[in-house]
Amino acid sequence: MTSTNRIMLVDGMALLFRAFYATAMSNYFMVNSKGTPTNGVYGMLKHLFTAINHYQPTHVVCCWDMGSKTFRNDMFPDYKANRGEPPVELIPQFDLAKEAIESLNIPNVGVAGFEADDCIGTLSKEYSEHSQVFILTGDQDMLQLLKQNTTVVLLKKGYGNYAEYYEDSFYEEKGITPAQMVDLKALMGDTSDNYPGVKGIGEKTALKLLMKHQTIEGILGNLDALTKGQRSKIEEGLEMLHLSRKLARIHCEADVNCSLEDALFYIDDERMRDKFEELEFRNWRKNIIGVS
């Protein structure tokens, strides 16, 4: 069953970081008269409105990480330990970004102990039962959430450039299903999230094994069919393989909810204008919301 609802779930962190670094590389921080940098918020909103104008959602929700520690750190203390502190120019923009989103009547959603990914996974699971869901992100991890009514829209360079993924075409392109993405990451690890997977097994080998044996259980049940090298690597890295799978899986039962009524996309022009003027955004009608 489908409805006319088109729900856009926005990965706030992904958009904010992408927008910040796009201009920070040239030291362009757009500092306002209060001395606060606003480049990340400005670019994030431009990404948001460009996508809204393109996909025409009826509902929008923005999801955030709430602090750096999550249940994954409890399982594996080194999870994301390779990431330094955010740049000093970005720190004040986290709150400003949420305020700007709020001024658009878009709910900010996040829950302590979970990542934005988990909130998006939980909400997409619920909404996709009755609505069309679009996940706007820059994070390939979200591809595991693809299903019948769920599209993942990955931001590419610039504004308005997207790689769209659908459940059907994903298999044709990658040779594995979205659900197998979790096992793929468990085998090969993830350098950006700082967990190793099975030492010595890269993407190519992991894909080959999953195409042949479907799942980690399938691989473990057929160790005799593996090369000697593959077998010994997996046997030696068994504990980390199982742990990496838990780290890789987006948790779709987070304690988060947002009613369709709250998510209904409706902008109060006056409220938006007041916030954008307060942030001292120049030419925002033309440059952010795309109205000349």
Side-chain angles (χ1 to χ4, degrees):
M1 172 195 146
T2 54
S3 73
T4 51
N5 290 337
R6 294 167 61 81
I7 305 175
M8 182 175 281
L9 296 174
V10 179
D11 183 345
M13 285 299 187
L15 268 64
L16 182 62
F17 272 86
R18 176 175 287 256
F20 175 81
Y21 284 110
T23 50
M25 303 305 272
S26 50
N27 287 328
Y28 183 60
F29 296 113
M30 287 176 64
V31 180
N32 66 18
S33 65
K34 299 184 190 79
T36 310
T38 58
N39 64 317
V41 183
Y42 192 94
M44 175 196 175
L45 292 167
K46 185 170 177 171
H47 275 305
L48 177 67
F49 273 100
T50 305
I52 285 170
N53 293 337
H54 184 86
Y55 290 100
Q56 297 287 307
T58 54
H59 300 71
V60 182
V61 181
C62 193
C63 296
W64 298 92
D65 294 346
M66 302 296 278
S68 55
K69 293 280 179 276
T70 68
F71 73 94
R72 292 179 180 87
N73 298 98
D74 297 335
M75 288 197 278
F76 185 58
D78 284 342
Y79 182 71
K80 290 192 177 178
N82 55 338
R83 301 194 184 185
E85 287 294 306
V88 64
E89 296 87 358
L90 178 58
I91 291 168
Q93 299 193 57
F94 291 120
D95 286 342
L96 288 185
K98 288 177 189 164
E99 287 171 24
I101 291 293
E102 206 175 295
S103 77
L104 304 172
N105 291 329
I106 294 173
N108 286 308
V109 168
V111 57
F114 293 93
E115 294 179 47
D117 298 26
D118 303 311
C119 297
I120 289 172
T122 302
L123 292 175
S124 72
K125 182 181 172 188
E126 181 194 329
Y127 294 152
S128 64
E129 295 288 322
H130 50 70
S131 304
Q132 189 63 44
V133 175
F134 298 86
I135 295 171
L136 182 67
T137 182
D139 184 355
Q140 299 232 7
D141 289 353
M142 299 286 196
L143 295 172
Q144 64 182 268
L145 299 174
L146 285 171
K147 55 184 185 179
Q148 194 55 52
N149 276 351
T150 304
T151 303
V152 173
V153 178
L154 290 180
L155 296 168
K156 291 170 76 181
K157 203 172 174 160
Y159 291 94
N161 300 317
Y162 308 112
E164 291 177 2
Y165 289 90
Y166 307 90
E167 185 183 39
D168 305 345
S169 54
F170 182 84
Y171 182 77
E172 289 161 32
E173 189 184 328
K174 303 278 189 189
I176 58 172
T177 65
Q180 286 175 295
M181 283 288 291
V182 179
D183 286 7
L184 178 68
K185 285 192 63 179
L187 286 159
M188 62 182 269
D190 185 325
T191 49
S192 77
D193 286 345
N194 203 43
Y195 58 86
V198 176
K199 216 171 174 181
I201 289 200
E203 184 173 17
K204 215 167 154 189
T205 304
L207 273 171
K208 210 186 287 180
L209 291 172
L210 287 172
M211 284 175 187
K212 191 169 181 187
H213 303 291
Q214 305 308 314
T215 61
I216 284 169
E217 286 72 24
I219 294 167
L220 296 178
N222 289 281
L223 285 174
D224 293 347
L226 272 46
T227 68
K228 200 174 162 190
Q230 289 167 354
R231 181 177 176 164
S232 67
K233 282 171 190 164
I234 286 172
E235 284 177 338
E236 280 166 33
L238 204 53
E239 200 179 329
M240 186 47 82
L241 173 63
H242 288 305
L243 178 56
S244 295
R245 177 153 64 167
K246 285 180 186 159
L247 297 172
R249 178 173 281 117
I250 291 174
H251 184 84
C252 295
E253 287 83 37
D255 186 17
V256 63
N257 53 59
C258 180
S259 72
L260 283 182
E261 195 181 0
D262 286 342
L264 194 64
F265 183 59
Y266 166 74
I267 286 180
D268 176 335
D269 283 337
E270 204 175 324
R271 192 177 177 207
M272 172 176 71
R273 186 193 66 219
D274 290 349
K275 178 50 76 175
F276 287 11
E277 299 287 339
E278 181 197 320
L279 289 166
E280 299 173 24
F281 287 158
R282 288 194 293 273
N283 302 327
W284 58 266
R285 284 192 189 281
K286 181 169 170 253
N287 291 343
I288 293 180
I289 65 177
V291 177
S292 47

